[in-house]
Amino acid sequence: MENTKLSSSLFAGTHFDRKRFAADFARFRKGPALPSAAATATAAPSAPSPEKKRKRKSGKAKAKKNKKKRAEDAAAASSNVVEGFSVFKGLADSNAELPSEKVDMRKDEDSVAVRQRKEIEREIERAAVLRKRFDIHIAGQNAPAPLESFEELISRYGCDSYLVGNLSKLGFQEPTPIQRQAMPILLSGRECFACAPTGSGKTLAFLFPLLMKIKPGSKGGVKAVILCPTRELAAQTVRECKKLIKGRKYYIKLMTKELSKSGNFKDMHCDILVSTPLRLDHAVKKRDLDLSSVEYLVLDESDKLFELGFVEVVDSVVEACSNPSIIRSLFSATLPDSIEALARTIMHDAIRVIVGRKNSASSLIKQKLIFAGTERGKLLALRQSFQESLNPPVLIFVQSKERAKELYKELAFDDVRVDAIHADLNEQQRQDAVDNLRAGKTWVLIATEVIARGMDFKGVNCVINYDFPESAAAYIHRIGRCGRAGRFGEAITFFTEEDKPFLRNIANVLVSSGCEVPSWIMALPKLKRKKHRVDRDPISNLPDED
Ligand SMILES: Nc1ncnc2c1ncn2[C@@H]1O[C@H](COP(=O)(O)OP(=O)(O)OP(=O)(O)O)[C@@H](O)[C@H]1O
């Protein structure tokens, strides 16, 4: 009765509901805990009656049943802990049934789980802040966080420090937005669609992860394949790759015409193979090149590779890369929905990354549309702009090789240091034309679509679309030869009466990158047809015939 007294004095003046707080009340008692609140209240010194015995028995059975249920709940609670997350279901109940050291252990586990969950939440928030800051948009499950710096490649992914060292030797201090997000995706073994503006460092974004993952000089076949739509771009990619691996012996091969036609692929040492689709397909079908060991497949300028004329060959190369654990990635500055849908059919659980707005031009380029009336008007306007403000190097795009030759004649006559690049030149001549512009030997390079995609002319100040581009994507890639790697650029596009029906499609690109467009152009109807190609009068100084 001592205990009853103690509890009575402790709660003097308050009404204590012993029935409701029986468990707490029992803790103040010496000796065995009371079986139940009801039993305490009705305890009597006399021998229990048979009725009371029956009731007590059934009370004991109930308590046993409750105990069993609580034990089951505890087991269920512990099985609800999934990958660092605790669902916390039934945890309070289950602790009540555990010895104190086990309760402590469980508390420790809980606090570890809570800490882990909080850390994960912080990571997710940090990733979201970084994505917002760098205008990175992602779609797909469990995308890894963007990089804060290149050093994280070492701390997070165990990158060899020589590779990061080479980056800094090349003057790359900070990752560009596409590199921040695409690199961790590929390094986590995920497939990826990436769309980022021209000149924003997509090449490094796909090259670096595969250089990190591939063991250099390994035997056992080709480890990585990079597909590019043109030979010039393939050659440029090989050059970029070699700069990055200085100090290590990787076997990097460019698929030349000769190699494709007569290569002995059985004895070829090759870690990374860079090719255009046709040459690679030829080597696979005619020279037994085995691509079943390929671990990484990159489709650069992927929307071009999925265009008609390429898509079947690309499909066949994708099929030849039959390694089931292959990681595929697609990179481009433009990714139309239709192409994305097609590409998705070959991807597995891919993450989509868009930097800025999808299918838009680089914001570093000042864009202008100029009405030149006729073909003759275009030549006059070009000559005038050269007299007023030629700021070399300049790239001029025309729609065919014939027109490239015609314009070359006109400008060479004016004593402009000019060259032309088109499909009628052999590989060496094309490469020389590119190298001469890079070296400053020529100031003006007239080009067809051959170099419109991917070519990196760091110093190009101005792009002139002498002939109106055939699509918005072609426009974005052409003008993207300037305004690269953080530099500003200028793009001038001539249009004639014949180009007006397609004007609005290009004007939309200007508007979406913040450039001014006259309101009458924005009032024109948008053309449904995707491609625009006009038969034009030859380029000549002579008066128009009519
Ligand atoms: N982190 C970086 N810091 C500074 N410069 C960089 C960085 N990454 C790449 N570059 C440079 O930026 C330029 C453009 O890179 P790259 O050719 O990869 O662009 P891109 O996004 O592939 O363009 P395009 O869509 O035209 O193919 C190159 O000269 C490259 O050396």
Side-chain angles (χ1 to χ4, degrees):
M1 283 285 111
E2 266 306 295
N3 288 320
T4 320
K5 264 190 204 153
L6 174 68
S7 61
S8 303
S9 62
L10 276 173
F11 295 102
T14 60
H15 170 74
F16 181 66
D17 184 347
R18 289 186 186 195
K19 196 172 167 187
R20 193 166 153 218
F21 297 107
D24 302 87
F25 183 69
R27 279 195 267 136
F28 292 103
R29 283 177 58 91
K30 278 198 184 123
L34 296 174
S36 74
T40 318
T42 55
S46 57
S49 67
E51 174 63 6
K52 276 183 184 162
K53 265 189 183 168
R54 203 172 45 79
K55 275 191 181 164
R56 200 175 291 171
K57 237 183 173 176
S58 87
K60 271 185 185 168
K62 261 188 198 161
K64 213 172 168 186
K65 210 172 154 192
N66 286 343
K67 191 174 170 184
K68 197 177 163 207
K69 183 162 185 319
R70 281 199 293 270
E72 280 168 6
D73 283 348
S78 61
S79 70
N80 273 331
V81 179
V82 182
E83 286 180 34
F85 286 95
S86 163
V87 187
F88 302 118
K89 204 173 131 197
L91 219 57
D93 272 2
S94 64
N95 280 344
E97 291 299 315
L98 291 171
S100 63
E101 69 275 17
K102 286 221 167 145
V103 171
D104 288 345
M105 262 174 65
R106 175 150 293 170
K107 276 183 184 159
D108 285 348
E109 282 169 15
D110 290 349
S111 59
V112 168
V114 169
R115 271 205 306 276
Q116 280 176 345
R117 198 189 57 195
K118 282 196 173 150
E119 184 53 36
I120 288 169
E121 281 168 2
R122 268 198 297 274
E123 283 292 324
I124 291 170
E125 206 177 306
R126 215 172 15 231
V129 169
L130 274 177
R131 288 192 188 112
K132 189 152 189 247
R133 185 163 142 216
F134 294 105
D135 209 359
I136 300 167
H137 309 268
I138 53 158
Q141 298 284 312
N142 301 325
L147 296 175
E148 289 194 48
S149 67
F150 281 134
E151 282 64 41
E152 258 183 76
L153 291 167
I154 302 174
S155 58
R156 258 167 80 180
Y157 297 103
C159 174
D160 250 342
S161 52
Y162 96 93
L163 265 176
V164 174
N166 280 353
L167 285 182
S168 101
K169 280 183 202 147
L170 287 168
F172 300 167
Q173 307 295 332
E174 291 277 312
T176 64
I178 189 62
Q179 292 162 3
R180 285 178 195 274
Q181 186 61 84
M183 283 183 178
I185 291 175
L186 293 172
L187 288 171
S188 320
R190 300 286 299 276
E191 300 201 328
C192 160
F193 293 93
C195 184
T198 51
S200 65
K202 293 187 286 293
T203 315
L204 185 67
F206 63 72
L207 274 184
F208 204 88
L210 63 87
L211 288 171
M212 269 177 70
K213 290 279 186 177
I214 286 171
K215 284 203 180 75
S218 59
K219 290 182 184 146
V222 182
K223 295 285 176 299
V225 164
I226 302 171
L227 275 190
C228 306
T230 62
R231 303 172 223 165
E232 283 73 15
L233 185 54
Q236 179 180 283
T237 306
V238 169
R239 274 200 302 274
E240 290 302 304
C241 204
K242 287 187 173 163
K243 282 188 213 162
L244 287 170
I245 48 134
K246 239 182 185 143
R248 287 289 189 282
K249 183 105 187 91
Y250 284 84
Y251 293 102
I252 300 168
K253 284 259 180 315
L254 173 67
M255 182 68 85
T256 57
K257 199 170 177 180
E258 297 70 48
L259 187 62
S260 161
K261 292 213 163 133
S262 50
N264 175 6
F265 295 109
K266 290 231 160 43
D267 299 329
M268 181 177 81
H269 276 299
C270 178
D271 297 314
I272 301 169
L273 183 58
V274 187
S275 179
T276 53
L278 277 168
R279 284 182 179 176
L280 188 56
D281 193 44
H282 186 275
V284 169
K285 287 186 177 146
K286 300 279 166 30
R287 306 290 308 167
D288 289 336
L289 169 62
D290 180 10
L291 296 181
S292 62
S293 55
V294 172
E295 295 161 17
Y296 290 88
L297 173 65
V298 180
L299 306 186
D300 192 14
E301 306 295 342
S302 46
D303 52 332
K304 186 75 191 168
L305 294 177
F306 279 96
E307 270 182 13
L308 233 78
F310 262 145
V311 68
E312 278 168 18
V313 185
V314 171
D315 212 33
S316 145
V317 170
V318 169
E319 210 172 294
C321 298
S322 56
N323 182 349
S325 52
I326 192 168
I327 296 182
R328 285 162 286 213
S329 56
L330 275 68
F331 283 78
S332 185
T334 49
L335 194 59
D337 294 344
S338 55
I339 301 286
E340 190 181 329
L342 186 64
R344 262 185 199 285
T345 59
I346 65 155
M347 307 287 273
H348 172 71
D349 193 22
I351 299 176
R352 173 189 193 251
V353 186
I354 310 278
V355 174
R357 292 181 62 179
K358 200 178 164 198
N359 303 328
S360 63
S362 162
S363 56
L364 297 167
I365 308 168
K366 198 170 118 198
Q367 304 166 57
K368 247 192 277 177
L369 293 170
I370 293 182
F371 179 59
T374 61
E375 285 303 315
R376 214 165 149 249
K378 288 205 289 200
L379 195 53
L380 284 172
L382 184 67
R383 286 202 159 110
Q384 198 178 340
S385 65
F386 275 5
Q387 275 163 14
E388 283 168 7
S389 60
L390 177 67
N391 187 12
V394 174
L395 267 179
I396 304 179
F397 283 101
V398 290
Q399 69 184 35
S400 66
K401 57 190 182 194
E402 290 74 26
R403 290 177 67 75
K405 290 177 202 167
E406 287 166 9
L407 187 59
Y408 173 79
K409 267 191 210 154
E410 291 296 329
L411 295 186
F413 184 79
D414 293 349
D415 266 348
V416 176
R417 278 202 228 168
V418 63
D419 205 348
I421 182 167
H422 48 76
D424 270 0
L425 302 179
N426 66 32
E427 205 159 323
Q428 191 55 52
Q429 288 167 319
R430 278 160 72 160
Q431 199 53 55
D432 288 347
V434 169
D435 291 345
N436 287 341
L437 186 76
R438 282 208 173 101
K441 289 185 189 160
T442 45
W443 289 2
V444 177
L445 182 61
I446 303 165
T448 55
E449 297 300 318
V450 161
I451 57 157
R453 277 179 177 259
M455 295 306 288
D456 184 42
F457 303 105
K458 271 193 202 83
V460 169
N461 287 315
C462 177
V463 169
I464 298 176
N465 286 314
Y466 190 86
D467 289 340
F468 206 75
E470 64 172 19
S471 67
Y475 174 76
I476 291 167
H477 287 279
R478 277 181 176 189
I479 69 167
R481 296 319 98 207
C482 69
R484 301 176 71 76
R487 289 174 60 116
F488 289 100
E490 188 183 11
I492 298 168
T493 302
F494 294 145
F495 66 95
T496 61
E497 284 295 337
E498 290 145 314
D499 300 313
K500 274 187 184 168
F502 201 69
L503 198 50
R504 173 70 196 283
N505 296 38
I506 302 301
N508 283 349
V509 179
L510 273 89
V511 170
S512 75
S513 34
C515 298
E516 274 180 33
V517 174
S519 53
W520 70 267
I521 294 180
M522 293 315 288
L524 291 170
K526 209 177 156 211
L527 203 70
K528 282 273 180 324
R529 187 160 37 98
K530 289 272 187 305
K531 296 246 159 127
H532 161 81
R533 216 175 165 97
V534 175
D535 281 335
R536 300 181 190 275
D537 291 334
I539 301 171
S540 146
N541 211 10
L542 302 171
D544 291 343
E545 291 166 21
D546 50 283

